[in-house]
């Protein structure tokens, strides 16, 4: 899911809140300063309910959001259910929660609001009617909001529908967050899968060639290989530090130097100020692997790789350059558009998409290349972004 779609969903949710405020104003027919106070109170209550709902329709989130949703409706009691259990009950008459699942079926079955009378032997109980409104998420009924009151007035029914629509919008965003997370995890798995079997075979062959002639170097290379694979296949953490990413790259290059010898010439120019910057996991190593492959492919002489990371105020500017075979600009365009071929692979488009998802479209890859002229890839990374930190 793109950031543009996310922005649209946020805008739609905001409009739903404004519509809710307008309808609540019309329901209670207040005027003057009382309207201002009611508006601010409603906004505060609505946005207090939003963070829990962004965790999805789960018991803890439902329990934390239910009091705020009930306050929006000014109802004696409110329940949230996913159809299998009552996730939360807030207000009086909790004894009615035991029968909530018995009456909520029609709202799940046809996806429309329903009003039903509530039977109660307690003459003092204020819960006589239940207004049940389905929560539509991604084209399905994910749950039902149940507002209980003395009577099912037209105002309560309208308000319950608006609050449920707003709550469903928050749940849609929660689903979007989870989809984004799953997409990022899938992309990282794809990058791991692209670690070439030929690279593994060639690395182990190079290590074996030193076992008798230079056992100490063979031992060092074997440790580099173990650390490189451990880092590449780690199971936790969406982000790492630039220092960790560069350490993995150095281990990778040590193995490639064992294979190519002095033909592989690498220059690193790294500003110490950017080493602690949090970066998406595996955002550089696949690019360096591409640079080595394209820089050495079909060449008899040396291949040169330059890795540069500079401090640029609020950003870190990184470039990876090779003097290899280069790439046809049209093929590059297709690769970044998500249409890779067997030669370009998925790394460029994958990393470009991840950077745009995390930081925004202005932070995608910038690539300078032409056939026979080598390739230079530029990355811009903010030094700090809320919610992004190394794991």
């Amino acid at each position: 899911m793109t950031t543009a779609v996310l922005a649209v969903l946020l805008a739609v949710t905001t409009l739903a809140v404004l519509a809710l405020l307008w309808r609540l104003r019309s329901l209670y027919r207040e005027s003057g300063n009382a309207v201002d106070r009611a508006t601010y109170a409603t906004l505060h209550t609505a946005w207090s309910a939003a963070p829990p709902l962004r965790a999805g329709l789960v018991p803890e989130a439902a329990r934390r959001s239910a009091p705020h949703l009930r306050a929006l409706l000014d109802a004696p009691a409110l329940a949230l259910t996913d159809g299998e259990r009552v996730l939360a009950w807030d207000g009086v008459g909790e004894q009615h929660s035991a029968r909530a699942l018995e009456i909520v079926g029609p709202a799940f079955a046809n996806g429309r609001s329903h009003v039903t009378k509530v039977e109660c032997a307690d003459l003092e109980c204020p819960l006589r009617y239940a207004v049940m409104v389905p929560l539509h998420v991604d084209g399905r009924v994910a749950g039902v909001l149940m507002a209980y009151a003395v009577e099912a007035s037209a105002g309560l029914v309208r308000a319950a529908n608006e609050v449920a629509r707003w709550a469903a919008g928050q749940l849609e965003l929660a689903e979007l967050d989870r989809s984004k997370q799953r997409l990022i995890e899938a992309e990282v798995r794809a990058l791991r899968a692209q670690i070439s079997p030929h690279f593994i075979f060639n690395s182990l062959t190079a290590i074996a060639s030193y076992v008798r002639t230079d056992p100490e170097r063979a031992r060092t290379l074997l440790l580099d290989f173990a650390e490189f694979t451990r880092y590449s296949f780690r199971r936790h953490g969406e982000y790492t530090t630039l220092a960790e990413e560069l350490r993995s790259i150095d281990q990778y290059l040590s193995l490639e130097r064992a294979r190519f010898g002095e033909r592989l010439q690498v220059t690193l120019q790294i500003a110490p100020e950017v080493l602690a910057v949090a970066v998406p996991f595996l955002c550089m190593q696949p690019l360096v692997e591409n640079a080595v492959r394209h820089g050495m492919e079909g060449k008899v002489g040396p291949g040169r790789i330059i890795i540069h990371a500079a401090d640029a105020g609020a950003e870190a500017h990184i470039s990876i350059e090779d003097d290899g075979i280069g790439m046809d600009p049209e093929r590059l365009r297709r690769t970044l558009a998500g249409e890779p071929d067997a030669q370009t692979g998925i790394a460029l488009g994958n990393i470009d998409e991840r950077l745009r998802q995390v930081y925004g479209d202005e932070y995608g890859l910038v690539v300078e290349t032409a056939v026979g002229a080598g390739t230079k890839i530029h990355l811009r990374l903010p030094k700090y972004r809320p919610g992004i930190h190394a794991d």
Side-chain angles (χ1 to χ4, degrees), residues 131-170:
V131 178
M132 299 167 289
V133 186
L135 300 170
H136 293 275
V137 178
D138 197 22
R140 62 184 177 84
V141 178
V144 171
L145 179 149
M146 307 176 72
Y148 290 80
V150 175
E151 60 177 345
S153 66
L156 177 61
V157 173
R158 289 198 301 270
N161 274 275
E162 293 298 337
V163 169
R165 187 164 63 175
W166 175 82
Q170 298 303 309

Side-chain angles (χ1 to χ4, degrees), residues 13-24:
T13 303
T14 302
L15 289 174
V17 173
L18 293 176
L20 166 64
L21 294 176
W22 180 261
R23 293 207 180 193
L24 288 176

Side-chain angles (χ1 to χ4, degrees), residues 2 17 44 89-90 95 112 149 172 211 219 238 245 249 260 291 299 326 331 347 350 363 371:
T2 65
V17 173
H44 176 75
W89 180 282
D90 187 73
Q95 69 273 15
R112 294 197 300 270
E172 286 271 12
V211 169
R219 177 180 177 277
E238 186 179 331
E245 191 82 353
I249 288 170
F260 290 109
K299 296 186 72 171
R331 174 182 286 177
N350 188 315
Y363 286 97
V371 176

Side-chain angles (χ1 to χ4, degrees), residues 3-341:
T3 53
V5 173
L6 179 58
V8 170
L9 284 175
L10 286 170
V12 170
T13 303
T14 302
L15 289 174
V17 173
L18 293 176
L20 166 64
L21 294 176
W22 180 261
R23 293 207 180 193
L24 288 176
R25 281 177 57 175
S26 65
L27 288 175
Y28 294 104
R29 301 287 185 182
E30 298 186 45
S31 60
N33 290 333
V35 171
D36 294 335
R37 287 195 297 270
T39 298
Y40 288 127
T42 303
L43 274 173
H44 176 75
T45 304
W47 289 115
S48 295
L53 289 172
R54 289 293 297 274
L57 197 59
V58 294
E60 178 60 20
R63 184 187 64 79
R64 292 172 55 200
S65 63
H68 303 295
L69 298 176
R70 184 170 74 87
L72 284 173
L73 297 173
D74 194 24
L78 180 138
L80 290 169
T81 174
D82 61 3
E84 297 181 356
R85 53 187 170 166
V86 176
L87 300 171
W89 180 282
D90 187 73
V92 300
E94 191 167 355
Q95 69 273 15
H96 288 282
S97 66
R99 297 196 60 194
L101 295 181
E102 297 176 12
I103 62 175
V104 81
F108 276 99
N110 58 31
R112 294 197 300 270
S113 301
H114 283 267
V115 176
T116 189
K117 192 171 183 179
V118 176
E119 300 295 336
C120 186
D122 183 359
L123 298 179
E124 301 297 323
C125 180
L127 309 186
R128 297 300 171 182
Y129 287 88
V131 178
M132 299 167 289
V133 186
L135 300 170
H136 293 275
V137 178
D138 197 22
R140 62 184 177 84
V141 178
V144 171
L145 179 149
M146 307 176 72
Y148 290 80
V150 175
E151 60 177 345
S153 66
L156 177 61
V157 173
R158 289 198 301 270
N161 274 275
E162 293 298 337
V163 169
R165 187 164 63 175
W166 175 82
Q170 298 303 309
L171 295 174
E172 286 271 12
L173 292 177
E175 185 65 27
L176 185 62
D177 287 340
R178 286 193 292 272
S179 297
K180 178 182 175 182
Q181 181 64 31
R182 289 194 293 267
L183 179 60
I184 289 174
E185 291 172 356
E187 288 171 341
V188 171
R189 287 196 298 270
L191 286 174
R192 286 169 172 159
Q194 192 173 300
I195 294 177
S196 171
H198 295 293
F199 163 71
I200 295 174
F201 175 79
N202 291 332
S203 296
L204 293 176
T205 300
I207 292 170
S209 71
Y210 286 103
V211 169
R212 291 187 177 180
T213 60
D214 193 343
E216 186 58 32
R217 187 175 186 191
R219 177 180 177 277
T220 301
L221 289 171
L222 193 58
L223 290 174
D224 284 337
F225 180 79
E227 283 299 307
F228 171 74
T229 53
R230 179 196 63 79
Y231 177 80
S232 298
F233 290 95
R234 73 178 192 173
R235 292 186 177 275
H236 67 279
E238 186 179 331
Y239 301 99
T240 186
T241 63
L242 183 57
E244 284 291 320
E245 191 82 353
L246 288 170
R247 184 177 293 112
S248 175
I249 288 170
D250 185 58
Q251 291 157 352
Y252 165 78
L253 290 173
S254 294
L255 295 164
E256 291 290 48
R257 287 192 193 97
R259 175 186 171 197
F260 290 109
E262 294 183 358
R263 287 181 54 213
L264 178 57
Q265 300 177 1
V266 180
T267 301
L268 284 87
Q269 301 170 333
I270 311 297
E273 295 84 357
V274 301
L275 290 175
V277 173
V279 300
F281 178 60
L282 286 183
C283 72
M284 287 181 60
Q285 188 276 329
L287 301 179
V288 173
E289 185 173 349
N290 275 355
V292 171
R293 187 171 72 248
H294 295 153
M296 302 301 295
E297 186 174 311
K299 296 186 72 171
V300 178
R304 187 172 182 82
I305 310 294
I306 301 173
I307 302 172
H308 184 259
D311 181 13
E315 297 179 338
H317 288 185
I318 301 168
S319 64
I320 300 166
E321 181 177 4
D322 68 72
D323 62 352
I325 59 175
M327 187 186 304
D328 174 56
E330 179 57 26
R331 174 182 286 177
L332 171 65
R333 186 197 65 76
R334 292 196 302 269
T335 297
L336 293 178
E339 303 172 12
D341 55 34

